[in-house]
Every structure is written in structure tokens, then in C-alpha cells.
RNA sequence: GCCGGAAUGGCGGAACCGGUAGACGCAGCGGACUCAAAAUCCGCCGGUGGCAACACCAUGAGAGUUCGAGUCUCUCUUCCGGCACCA
């Protein structure tokens, strides 16, 4: 055995062993329980970042652990290869996105292999390959024929200088990122997927996902946003024509307090009013120019103007003014609301600002009136007042009565409203999956027939930031109508990349299948038993995948409904950032270049660059290029090896927490692996002697018991701690005896999912077996955990005052007696009555005086 | 703004069902080895008081429930994720 731990040699040899034996190839085997473990596939951005390393290490620990527990495991890997960054890189380097993407994939694949992940590379896929995106297109044409994919207008960010659509990310403070021009909103025709048709099912099924974190289910529930309410019609006359303004409200009980209505800038009433009133026109224009993003929209000052249109109240027939307001969204409900200033905070502020009437109609906890300023109690449901026939009714009675009266007049009914909107998938971009539609002057939008799929994306183009280059490529867009054969124009929009990632997990089950989207093998592997990825995907990606799975079920492709049985949402990887300040210009210094001096207590006293310039500590945050605080996994692997990188990432933090990077702690993980090696070396050279110590076995098996429990809970950081504790216990055993042999075998097996290379090497070196992955997972020995005596803590009034050792079988009386006999306990009990004695078996005694 | 989280020593974190707060590690301090350094090994390590035994304080802040609260309930503060075209 080598004296020193040489990670590079150990890792090379272990990876060679796995490759030779094809260790990670997965084959369907109905005789064994299957475990499909999947980490979210990466976007091939260039090189791996620490978030990837963390994600795939967590997945690998789960995969290898399950494998040793006898599961038939599948852990595949692929590439979410379409997307915006490739176009940006193409513009910067004048290289086609395809070449950039394929080069990145090749490099990152090498990095993943170097980390020793147990991946079945025969199943590798890239979403930018025609054999993958063909099935996006195939499914789209089916949804289109069913009406689940349809065309309507959608709002986009428009850069008027570059004449191009911008992603939200490309809008910086309301301006285009390249041109600096104020971004405009624009409505363009797009294709939508009717996810709202599945809203009810997507919501209800959340209650049957016990393997998902509650917080994710709650976020999805709120996102889907089911609310029960009443659709209310306010009749009005426009150009001598009778019309109805429809609104949705969850507070129909407050209808008698409605004093005006407000509509979105895009609402027909606003359009009408802007034609006859230049002020309204200017305001509508202003609203349309405003931000398209909800987060920004919600922050803008609430403003409005009267449209001059009046509607009549459906119960009282009172004339109410209609305002156009920037806080009403066209995308939600009817694009119009009834305003009840007395019982809605936003309406209240709007009414105060513009002097509109405020009419209280609900008795709230603070009384019957609603004096300024606004108080949250005003919005609480209560008994109706000033409401004519509805006076005295409570919330539900009033809603029911008002809904019934409205139904009688054909001016409303109860309605369920969803916050969820249909999914707009058209992107005016080159590097994506072409939407398989042909626009024919006589036949309209015609889906491309199966025989002509895939519609291949030309891979040689270089975008220039001014629109989609496909729209300037006649070879691509000039085509014939599949229905009538006349000249027609091919759609040049591509699909949202979320389409690609909504079903890739099913495709991993069916490598090589070119005759169908998925085949029978998907029925064996699906659903994914364990899915792992960042919490930032809690809503969109996970909801779209759940939607797609149902769509695929309804196409008869799969039986499974929920794609992911268990979900683990990992935290982000953070690092400190530092900068030097030269005349107000910040230069960001990579933490690796910063030297920190500490005071006697270990607190940071000062920090400077290696060449002595003082730096400012800017706190801890996500690793980013802009703050130059990324830690390159490759440098880490080269310095310490993959096992140290993996161990550190697992040890530093539980998977769901954020992980704050620390170079010193990495050093500590490396030290631990060196100690494991040193111990194995000492063990291999020691002579057999003595018997197993009872105490050592107790320690090791107690730690193992806890570690197995922690593995179940996915609390892997304490499993790494457990390995350290076992090594500490082993080092206390003199020489080599049955306890050290057993303990070392447990240690290596416990470590093997986390640090597979060193575990593999030592397992063979010390002749525990041929392949540690074929070994069984260690279980604690009940006999080793037996104890004759236990230590109990003694409290007086809940405060710790001492401890006693009692025989395991001691009864209450004996325990009480021993506790009272403890001198320090006596000090606190002396002269007082013991009112109550609480005995928690195996833990403590509490004397209440 | 709305939705969802998080907060424990100098730092990362542990504490299973409400039952010894600080496991394990990092940093720091002291020592051994060394000509010296690195590496390695041993010891100490929340705060205040005390020679010590020990006592008091302490889990973001404030209240509450309980024999007993880091853990449960309420209010607040700060930070983080998402908000539909970043992935």
C-alpha cells in the first residue's frame, strides 16, 4: 500500500475500473425494485459551477446508497442545450450557437466524469439534437389539433432600436441591455399551451405528493391560485348599444359598497375612451409603455383616469364611473374590477387619491365606519350594513343571496377563477426548437405532418441581436402548405426552452428510440423516484413538467401522472465577495486572491490582496461573474481531488440549506481523507491482536444507527460527520482487532457514496472485497447497542443540576431516590416540597419544587 | 407589492416526538516533533463572575403555552428564492 494518499492516482484507477466493468449501465429488471434518481440537467454554459457539483454530488450519494441497498438504479445525464446564453456568446465571438454549445458539452462531460459520478452515459441526450426536439414538435402538433395549443396575442418587451424582442433578463431598469433604449410593451401573436385546462387536476394532485417539500407544494398551490367568487355584470350603453362590463370578485358581499369600476389599459372601454379623450389616450399609452414584468408592475404608483363611461350597478342601478387604472391587469380575470374602497386597501387608497366615494357596507372589528388611514380590519369579513335587503347577513349568506339575485337578472353567477395563465411558448429567437407550423394564405395555420418532422434548425447561423436570423433565411421559411401544396411561410419562432425540459426525464428511459417519443421502457423506470435541483425551480419547471406528464398520459404515452415522486430542493452555493475601491470604481477581487488576518478570537480583522492592497468585504452572496467570487471546481479537483470536493460539499451544509464556501474548510475535508488513508495504512501493517472492545463497538454502532437515520432524512452532512466520528473511535482502538476490522469496513461503506474513489481503493487494498459497490449496506448490530447502565440528567424546575447512572431496568422509585441523593440536587431541593417528579425514560428526571 | 423560506459560538453546522444547547469540523490559542518551516500529533476553545466546585446569562427581537421551548403559538426585524422570455 502507498504511504501517502495520492487522490489523482486513486481516482484515475477507480474510474478506470468502473469504465472497464461498465459499472453504471442500467438495464430494466422487473425482478428488482427500481430507483430512478435524477438531478436537473445542466445548461451547457461553458464549465461546471459549484451549484452543479453540489447538485450532482447529492444525486450521486443517493444513487450509490440505493445501489448498495439492492435497488436497480438509474442515474442519467443530459444537456438543456437550447437557450439565450448561446446566442449571446455567438454574438460576442461570431461563432454559431451550435458550435459553442457542442464544445461546452464536450468539456463539461469531461468534468462530470472526473468527479466520478455514477452516470449511465449511454443515455446521454441534448435537447438541441433533432432526434430529441423532433418529439417536442410531434407532441405540439397533437396538442394543436386538440386545441390544447392555440394562437393568441401575448405581451413582449420590445427594443425599438434593435427592433427585437427582449427577455426579461435583458431589460435593465426599463431599458434594453445593448441599446439603452426605453423598452416598450408590444402585443404579438404567439402560441400558447392550455395549462389552465389542467389547473384543477394540478392543484388537487398536490395533496397526494407526500415526497415533496411542503413549501414547494404551497408555492405551486398559490401560483395556480384557485379562488371562488362571483362574476358580476355592470350594464352600460356605448354608441346606443347595450353592453355589460364583467368583473370577478371574491367579495360579492361588498357589492353594495361598490362606488366605481376600474379597467386595464388594454380593456375595450379604455380603448374607446382614448379615442375621444386625448388625456385618456396619453395615459393608456403610458400604461402600455410601462414594465411587462409583474414584480415591477406591482411597485409602480397606482394611477388612473376617468374614462367618461358610466355603468349601472346591477342591484341599485346607480351610475358608477369607470376608471382606467394601471393596477388592473388584463391577464387576470376580465381585465376589470369593481372597486369597494371601504373594504379593499388598493381601492381605498385610489379613492382617497382621486376623491371617489367610500361607502362602508360591512361591520368590521373596529366598527361601522372606515376613517383614514387604512386599517387591515376594514377588509375583514363581517355582517352587512347599509346594504338594503342584505343587511344583517354574514359573509357566506350575503355572497349566496347576491349571487342568486344576479343570476336571476342574468348579471352574474358563481365562478371559480384561476391565477394560473396559459403558457406562452413562442420565442422570437434562433437557438431553440422550431414551432412546427406552416402559415398558408388559404388554409391558415397548418401543423407540419409527422412524415416531415423534425423541422430541422439550421446550425450554421450567427445571430446579431436584431431579431431572429431564421426570419431572414428563405431556405428555412419558404415552403409549401402541407394541406394544399401552395406556397406558404414556415413559422420562424422557436419554443420556450422550458418545453425541452418538461419531459426529458421520460426520454432518458428510452435511449435509441427513433420511432416514438417514449416506449415501454419508460413504463418500467417512470416516475422519477428522486428528483434533485435548485429551489429556484419550485414553480415553473416543476409545474410545466407535471403538466406535460398529464398531456403525455392523455396521448396514451405513459401511465404515470406525477413525474417526480420525491423532490429534494437544494440550496444555493454562496461565497464572500471583496472589492478594491479606486476612485469610486470597484474592482472585484476573487476571494482566492484575498488574504485575511484575524484577531485573537478568530474574527476577521482586515483583508488585503496578495500584493498588499486593502480590500472591502462586501458580504456573502451567490457566486457570480459580476462579483468575481466564483470558485472553479476544476481548480479544486486538481488541487485536492474529486473526493475532497465531494466530501466538503456534503459535509459543509445540509442539502436544502445554502452553502457558504470556505477554502479553509475544504482543507479540513482533505485532512480527514488523509487521516482515513493513514489509518488504513497503519491498520494494514498492524498485527492481529486482542478482542473487540465493547465500548468501541457501542460507539461505532451508535454512530452508524444515527447515520442510517440521517441518510433516510437526506441529512447527508451529519452522515459525513458520522464517518469522522467513526474514524475518531477507530483511532482510539490500540492495534488491530475484530472491532477495528468491523469498524473500518463500516467506515468505508458509509463513505463510499460520498467519496467513492478512496472507498473503492481501500476496500480492495485491505481485501474486504472485489468491489465495494457490490457490498451490502452496513446495519447496526443490536447486541453492540445493549447497555447495562444509562446516564440520566437530573433537573430541578427544569434547570440542569446533575446527572446519575442507573441500571437500565431501574424503576421510577429507584430513579427518584438516586436523583434526590445527588448532592448538587439536594442543594436546590433542600427545605422545599417536591410537588411533582417527571421521569423521561433513558433521558432525564425533573423535580418540581 | 404578492407568494415561499431562513436566522443557533469568530465561522459552517448538530440537537430524532418539546427533554443535558453547541456533536462533527473550520478558524484561533497553547504544547510536542523540527536547525527552521510545512505536514503530523496532543490539549484548550459561547459570554460574565469565581483559584475551584459552581452560579448566572445565552439559539435574530418581543410576548405566550409548558414541569421543561432552539423546537409549539402570536407579533416584529433582517436576509434569501420566485413572480410567468435567465435557466
Amino acid at each position: 500500500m502507498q504511504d501517502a494518499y495520492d487522490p489523482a492516482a486513486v481516482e484515475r484507477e477507480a474510474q478506470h475500473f468502473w469504465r472497464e466493468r461498465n459499472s453504471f449501465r442500467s438495464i430494466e429488471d422487473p425482478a428488482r425494485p427500481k430507483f430512478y434518481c435524477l438531478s436537473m440537467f445542466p445548461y451547457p454554459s461553458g464549465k461546471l459551477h459549484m451549484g452543479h457539483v453540489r447538485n450532482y454530488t447529492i444525486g450521486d450519494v443517493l444513487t450509490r446508497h440505493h445501489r448498495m441497498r439492492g435497488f436497480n438504479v438509474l442515474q442519467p445525464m443530459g444537456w438543456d442545450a437550447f437557450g439565450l446564453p448561446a446566442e449571446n456568446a455567438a454574438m460576442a465571438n461570431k461563432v454559431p450557437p451550435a458550435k459553442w454549445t457542442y464544445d461546452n458539452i464536450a468539456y463539461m462531460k469531461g468534468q462530470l466524469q472526473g468527479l466520478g459520478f455514477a452516470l449511465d452515459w449511454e443515455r446521454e441526450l441534448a435537447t438541441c439534437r433533432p432526434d430529441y426536439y423532433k418529439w417536442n414538435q410531434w407532441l405540439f402538433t397533437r396538442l394543436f389539433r386538440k386545441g390544447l395549443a392555440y394562437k393568441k396575442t401575448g405581451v413582449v418587451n420590445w427594443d425599438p432600436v434593435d427592433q427585437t424582442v427582449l427577455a426579461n433578463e435583458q431589460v435593465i431598469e426599463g431599458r434594453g441591455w445593448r441599446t439603452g433604449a426605453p423598452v416598450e410593451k408590444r402585443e404579438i401573436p404567439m402560441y400558447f399551451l392550455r395549462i389552465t385546462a389542467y389547473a384543477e387536476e394540478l392543484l388537487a394532485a398536490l395533496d397526494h405528493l407526500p415526497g415533496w417539500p411542503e413549501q414547494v407544494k404551497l408555492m405551486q398551490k398559490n401560483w395556480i391560485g384557485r379562488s371562488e367568487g362571483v362574476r358580476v355584470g355592470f350594464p352600460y350603453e356605448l354608441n346606443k348599444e347595450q353592453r355589460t362590463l364583467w368583473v370577478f370578485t371574491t367579495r360579492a358581499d361588498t357589492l353594495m359598497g361598490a362606488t366605481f369600476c376600474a379597467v386595464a389599459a388594454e380593456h375595450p372601454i379604455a380603448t374607446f375612451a382614448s379615442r375621444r379623450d386625448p388625456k385618456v389616450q396619453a395615459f393608456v399609452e403610458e400604461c402600455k409603455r410601462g414594465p411587462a414584468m409583474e414584480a415591477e408592475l406591482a411597485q409602480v404608483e397606482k394611477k388612473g383616469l376617468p374614462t367618461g363611461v358610466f355603468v349601472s350597478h346591477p342591484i341599485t342601478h346607480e351610475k358608477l364611473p369607470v376608471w382606467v387604472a394601471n393596477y388592473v391587469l388584463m391577464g387576470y380575470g376580465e381585465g376589470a374590477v369593481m372597486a369597494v374602497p371601504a373594504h379593499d386597501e388598493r381601492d381605498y387608497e385610489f379613492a382617497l387619491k382621486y376623491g371617489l366615494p367610500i361607502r362602508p357596507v360591512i361591520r368590521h372589528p373596529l366598527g361601522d365606519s372606515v376613517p383614514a388611514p387604512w386599517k387591515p380590519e376594514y377588509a375583514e369579513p363581517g355582517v352587512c350594513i347599509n346594504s338594503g335587503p342584505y343587511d344583517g347577513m354574514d359573509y357566506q349568506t350575503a355572497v349566496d343571496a347576491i349571487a342568486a339575485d344576479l343570476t336571476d337578472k342574468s348579471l352574474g353567477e358563481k365562478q371559480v377563477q384561476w391565477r394560473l395563465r396559459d403558457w406562452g411558448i413562442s420565442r422570437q429567437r434562433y437557438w431553440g426548437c422550431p414551432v412546427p407550423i406552416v402559415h398558408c394564405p388559404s388554409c391558415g395555420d397548418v401543423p407540419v405532418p409527422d412524415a416531415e418532422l423534425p423541422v430541422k434548425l439550421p446550425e450554421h447561423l450567427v445571430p446579431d441581436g436584431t431579431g431572429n436570423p431564421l426570419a431572414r433565411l428563405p431556405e428555412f421559411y419558404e415552403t409549401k402548405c402541407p394541406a394544399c401544396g401552395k406556397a406558404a411561410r414556415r413559422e420562424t419562432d422557436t419554443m420556450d426552452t422550458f418545453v425541452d425540459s418538461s419531459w426529458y426525464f421520460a426520454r432518458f428511459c428510452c435511449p435509441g428510440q427513433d420511432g416514438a417519443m417514449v416506449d415501454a421502457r419508460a413504463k418500467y423506470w417512470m416516475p422519477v423516484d428522486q428528483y434533485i435541483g435548485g429551489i429556484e425551480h419550485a414553480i415553473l419547471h416543476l409545474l410545466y413538467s407535471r403538466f406535460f406528464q398529464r398531456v403525455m398520459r392523455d396521448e396514451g404515452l405513459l401511465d404515470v401522472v406525477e413525474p417526480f415522486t420525491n423532490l429534494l430542493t437544494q440550496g444555493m452555493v454562496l461565497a464572500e465577495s471583496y472589492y478594491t475601491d479606486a476612485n469610486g470604481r470597484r474592482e472585484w477581487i476573487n476571494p482566492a486572491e484575498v488574504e485575511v488576518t484575524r484577531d485573537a478570537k478568530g474574527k476577521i480583522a482586515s483583508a488585503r490582496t496578495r500584493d498588499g492592497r486593502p480590500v472591502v468585504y462586501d458580504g456573502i452572496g451567490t457566486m457570480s461573474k459580476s462579483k468575481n467570487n466564483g470558485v472553479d471546481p476544476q481548480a479544486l479537483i486538481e488541487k485536492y481531488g474529486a473526493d475532497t470536493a465531494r466530501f466538503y460539499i456534503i459535509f459543509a451544509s445540509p442539502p436544502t440549506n445554502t452553502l457558504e464556501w470556505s477554502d479553509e474548510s475544504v482543507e479540513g475535508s482533505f485532512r480527514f481523507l488523509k487521516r482515513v488513508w493513514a489509518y488504513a495504512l497503519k491498520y494494514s501493517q498492524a498485527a492481529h491482536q486482542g478482542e473487540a472492545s465493547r465500548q468501541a463497538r457501542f460507539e461505532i454502532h451508535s454512530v452508524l444507527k444515527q447515520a442510517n437515520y440521517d441518510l433516510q432524512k437526506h441529512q447527508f452532512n451529519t452522515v459525513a460527520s458520522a464517518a469522522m466520528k467513526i474514524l475518531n473511535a477507530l483511532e482510539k482502538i490500540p492495534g488491530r482487532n475484530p472491532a477495528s476490522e468491523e469498524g473500518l469496513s463500516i467506515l468505508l461503506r458509509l463513505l463510499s457514496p460520498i467519496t467513492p474513489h478512496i472507498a473503492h481503493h481501500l476496500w480492495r487494498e485491505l481485501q474486504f472485497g472485489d468491489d465495494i459497490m457490490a457490498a451490502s449496506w452496513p446495519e447496526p448490530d443490536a447486541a453492540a447497542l445493549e447497555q447495562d447502565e444509562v446516564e440520566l440528567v437530573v433537573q430541578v424546575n427544569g434547570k440542569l443540576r446533575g446527572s446519575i447512572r442507573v441500571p437500565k431496568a431501574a424503576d421510577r422509585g429507584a430513579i427518584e431516590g438516586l436523583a434526590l441523593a445527588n448532592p448538587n440536587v439536594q442543594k436546590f431541593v433542600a427545605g422545599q416540597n417536591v410537588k411533582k417528579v417527571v421521569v423521561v425514560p433513558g433521558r432525564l428526571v425533573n423535580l418540581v419544587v
Side-chain angles (χ1 to χ4, degrees):
Chain A
M1 181 171 171
Q2 292 283 321
D3 283 357
Y5 170 44
D6 175 1
V10 167
E11 290 171 11
R12 206 180 311 118
E13 180 237 273
Q15 287 169 16
H16 180 254
F17 178 95
W18 298 327
R19 205 174 314 113
E20 288 292 293
R21 298 221 180 169
N22 226 331
S23 296
F24 308 132
R25 173 197 239 163
S26 302
I27 298 163
E28 297 73 35
D29 175 6
R32 279 195 294 158
K34 61 101 184 175
F35 184 73
Y36 181 3
C37 185
L38 184 67
S39 293
M40 291 180 184
F41 66 166
Y43 178 79
S45 55
K47 52 188 183 182
L48 291 184
H49 57 68
M50 280 303 168
H52 292 131
V53 180
R54 189 178 195 195
N55 198 163
Y56 305 136
T57 301
I58 293 167
D60 207 42
V61 168
L62 279 157
T63 300
R64 289 175 177 270
H65 174 230
H66 277 80
R67 178 183 177 134
M68 289 174 75
R69 285 201 178 272
F71 287 86
N72 186 27
V73 297
L74 166 60
Q75 186 179 226
M77 183 53 69
W79 309 95
D80 188 13
F82 276 137
L84 198 56
E87 295 198 26
N88 296 339
M91 283 188 260
N93 309 323
K94 308 269 187 278
V95 173
K99 175 164 171 36
W100 183 83
T101 302
Y102 292 131
D103 286 351
N104 289 347
I105 287 175
Y107 182 75
M108 290 169 77
K109 182 174 178 179
Q111 289 190 297
L112 289 173
Q113 288 170 328
L115 281 157
F117 297 132
L119 295 164
D120 182 356
W121 283 106
E122 288 177 25
R123 295 167 185 267
E124 180 182 7
L125 61 79
T127 57
C128 63
R129 300 269 186 200
D131 59 1
Y132 182 84
Y133 67 70
K134 171 181 177 180
W135 302 105
N136 282 354
Q137 297 174 338
W138 178 85
L139 188 67
F140 177 89
T141 59
R142 260 124 202 102
L143 298 185
F144 187 80
R145 290 192 189 103
K146 274 186 173 177
L148 284 173
Y150 65 97
K151 189 152 92 173
K152 70 168 183 185
T153 60
V155 179
V156 294
N157 306 303
W158 180 257
D159 186 318
V161 174
D162 269 350
Q163 294 282 300
T164 194
V165 176
L166 297 179
N168 285 342
E169 192 191 48
Q170 297 170 316
V171 181
I172 316 289
E173 287 166 10
R175 290 168 183 276
W177 68 326
R178 296 174 74 231
T179 63
V183 168
E184 297 169 6
K185 272 193 284 192
R186 183 169 273 212
E187 290 206 39
I188 58 168
M190 305 179 22
Y191 290 96
F192 285 78
L193 300 187
R194 209 178 292 280
I195 189 172
T196 52
Y198 290 82
E200 189 89 63
E201 191 189 342
L202 287 167
L203 178 69
L206 288 172
D207 290 336
H208 309 289
L209 277 176
W212 279 41
E214 287 304 321
Q215 60 157 314
V216 174
K217 288 189 277 187
L218 195 53
M219 278 192 267
Q220 291 216 350
K221 181 175 179 241
N222 292 336
W223 183 265
I224 295 168
R226 182 183 199 274
S227 49
E228 286 179 13
V230 178
R231 187 168 179 253
V232 184
F234 292 76
Y236 65 105
E237 202 186 278
L238 205 64
N239 296 334
K240 304 225 165 85
E241 201 184 312
Q242 277 305 315
R243 300 177 181 222
T244 307
L245 172 66
W246 291 102
V247 305
F248 171 80
T249 178
T250 57
R251 291 297 305 273
D253 60 317
T254 65
L255 176 59
M256 300 304 277
T259 56
F260 64 100
C261 287
V263 298
E266 295 84 0
H267 193 277
I269 289 184
T271 312
F272 169 83
S274 64
R275 263 188 241 125
R276 65 177 187 196
D277 182 345
K279 276 197 302 197
V280 174
Q281 187 184 5
F283 180 71
V284 165
E285 294 290 315
E286 186 191 322
C287 290
K288 285 184 177 174
R289 269 198 306 273
M293 288 164 263
E294 192 182 318
E296 287 187 36
L297 210 58
Q299 321 249 26
V300 300
E301 190 198 351
K302 313 282 175 283
K303 285 199 277 192
L305 271 186
T307 60
V309 174
F310 286 80
V311 295
S312 67
H313 190 284
I315 306 284
T316 66
H317 310 300
E318 184 190 355
K319 293 284 174 216
L320 304 180
V322 177
W323 284 58
V324 53
N326 62 356
Y327 68 85
V328 183
L329 303 180
M330 200 57 208
Y332 183 73
E334 310 277 353
V337 297
M338 70 175 201
V340 184
H343 304 293
D344 178 277
E345 183 173 8
R346 223 167 29 182
D347 295 344
Y348 190 86
E349 275 156 17
F350 197 82
L352 280 187
K353 182 170 179 175
Y354 292 108
L356 291 155
I358 298 172
R359 186 179 305 151
V361 291
I362 300 292
R363 174 161 299 145
H364 57 82
L366 302 179
D368 289 359
S369 61
V370 291
W374 169 263
K375 298 196 181 53
E377 285 83 359
Y378 299 169
E380 283 180 29
V383 170
C384 293
I385 54 173
N386 308 325
S387 297
Y390 311 108
D391 276 352
M393 292 185 182
D394 65 12
Y395 170 80
Q396 197 57 54
T397 314
V399 169
D400 291 346
I402 288 173
D405 290 350
L406 291 173
T407 306
D408 287 347
K409 299 177 174 201
S410 299
L411 284 176
E413 69 264 294
K414 286 203 174 175
Q415 195 189 358
V416 171
Q417 182 71 39
W418 302 90
R419 207 189 77 95
L420 183 69
R421 308 199 295 259
D422 278 340
W423 174 15
I425 58 154
S426 294
R427 297 291 179 269
Q428 299 67 45
R429 281 205 201 100
Y430 160 55
W431 190 235
C433 167
V435 173
I437 290 283
V438 172
H439 303 289
C440 170
S442 15
C443 309
D445 291 359
V446 182
V448 175
D450 290 358
E452 292 172 31
L453 293 179
V455 175
K456 276 200 189 173
L457 183 73
E459 292 195 348
H460 64 281
L461 302 180
V462 179
D464 63 2
T466 64
N468 182 352
L470 288 178
R472 299 189 291 261
L473 191 70
E475 305 95 283
F476 181 79
Y477 64 73
E478 282 178 0
T479 186
K480 289 199 172 77
C481 171
C484 69
K486 278 190 264 179
R489 188 182 164 97
R490 187 183 295 289
E491 173 66 55
T492 57
D493 280 358
T494 53
M495 293 186 199
D496 181 359
T497 57
F498 274 126
V499 173
D500 311 330
S501 55
S502 291
W503 68 282
Y504 73 106
F505 38 86
R507 186 69 187 174
F508 273 139
C509 304
C510 320
Q513 175 55 263
D514 58 7
M517 191 170 185
V518 291
D519 60 34
R521 291 172 291 173
K523 290 190 177 156
Y524 174 78
W525 290 112
M526 286 297 291
V528 172
D529 295 281
Q530 181 68 59
Y531 197 37
I532 306 131
I535 182 70
E536 67 272 18
H537 293 292
I539 295 173
L540 294 179
H541 164 60
L542 291 170
L543 189 61
Y544 291 150
S545 297
R546 296 181 61 223
F547 164 56
F548 251 61
Q549 191 75 11
R550 286 166 169 80
V551 164
M552 290 172 77
R553 170 201 63 195
D554 293 345
E555 284 298 322
L557 297 165
L558 292 165
D559 315 322
V560 167
V561 179
E562 285 295 340
F564 315 118
T565 307
N566 295 289
L567 175 68
L568 191 160
T569 50
Q570 64 163 356
M572 323 247 301
V573 182
L574 310 179
E576 295 171 326
S577 54
Y578 300 90
Y579 60 87
T580 58
D581 204 331
N583 305 324
R585 234 188 113 83
R586 285 180 181 185
E587 186 197 342
W588 294 93
I589 308 293
N590 192 280
E593 303 303 316
V594 173
E595 283 178 342
V596 168
T597 49
R598 291 171 194 275
D599 64 16
K601 291 204 164 182
K603 274 192 205 171
I604 295 178
S606 70
R608 48 192 65 245
T609 61
R610 293 207 185 282
D611 52 14
R613 288 179 295 154
V615 294
V616 183
Y617 174 55
D618 190 55
I620 206 142
T622 54
M623 289 186 179
S624 70
K625 262 187 195 159
S626 61
K627 288 202 174 178
N628 187 22
N629 63 343
V631 177
D632 182 11
Q634 207 54 38
L636 191 71
I637 294 163
E638 279 158 24
K639 189 166 176 194
Y640 301 106
D643 279 341
T644 293
R646 296 170 57 124
F647 187 89
Y648 168 70
I649 275 183
I650 290 299
F651 175 64
S653 184
T656 51
N657 273 28
T658 54
L659 189 159
E660 294 175 23
W661 196 264
S662 153
D663 284 326
E664 288 99 339
S665 292
V666 174
E667 198 72 50
S669 297
F670 184 51
R671 201 165 358 197
F672 167 67
L673 294 184
K674 282 194 288 189
R675 273 176 61 209
V676 171
W677 187 276
Y679 179 79
L681 180 68
K682 203 177 87 185
Y683 170 92
S684 72
Q685 292 164 347
H688 294 266
Q689 61 176 47
E691 284 181 20
S693 124
R694 187 110 197 255
Q695 183 55 31
R697 288 201 79 217
F698 175 76
E699 268 179 53
I700 291 168
H701 285 267
S702 305
V703 171
L704 174 60
K705 187 180 174 196
Q706 181 66 44
N708 279 343
Y709 179 77
D710 292 346
L711 272 166
Q712 228 179 7
K713 283 197 307 177
H714 296 165
Q715 189 170 292
F716 303 129
N717 56 323
T718 48
V719 177
S721 295
M724 290 174 155
K725 288 178 187 173
I726 291 175
L727 181 62
N728 291 346
L730 283 173
E731 283 177 337
K732 281 193 286 184
I733 301 173
R736 172 174 178 171
N737 67 30
S740 53
E741 179 175 346
E742 183 194 34
L744 185 51
S745 138
I746 290 172
L747 173 62
L748 293 178
R749 282 179 287 164
L750 200 58
L751 274 176
S752 67
I754 306 170
T755 57
H757 309 89
I758 189 172
H760 165 89
H761 182 95
L762 294 178
W763 189 258
R764 286 169 65 83
E765 184 79 49
L766 302 175
Q767 287 161 28
F768 283 111
D770 167 58
D771 182 358
I772 194 168
M773 286 193 298
S776 64
W777 190 257
E779 291 292 351
D781 174 7
L785 296 172
E786 290 275 332
Q787 270 186 309
D788 308 332
E789 273 197 331
V790 289
E791 186 168 289
L792 293 187
V793 157
V794 185
Q795 296 180 333
V796 180
N797 287 346
K799 291 217 169 215
L800 176 68
R801 296 304 176 190
S803 68
I804 51 173
R805 287 196 74 83
V806 299
K808 209 181 133 199
D811 63 13
R812 243 189 109 94
I815 290 172
E816 243 181 87
L818 273 165
L820 276 165
N822 182 295
N824 202 48
V825 171
Q826 289 237 310
K827 234 166 70 186
F828 288 90
V829 178
Q832 297 175 82
N833 280 340
V834 176
K835 281 195 294 192
K836 187 174 170 186
V837 180
V838 182
V839 178
V840 183
R843 287 209 175 260
L844 60 73
V845 187
N846 188 15
L847 306 167
V848 186
V849 299

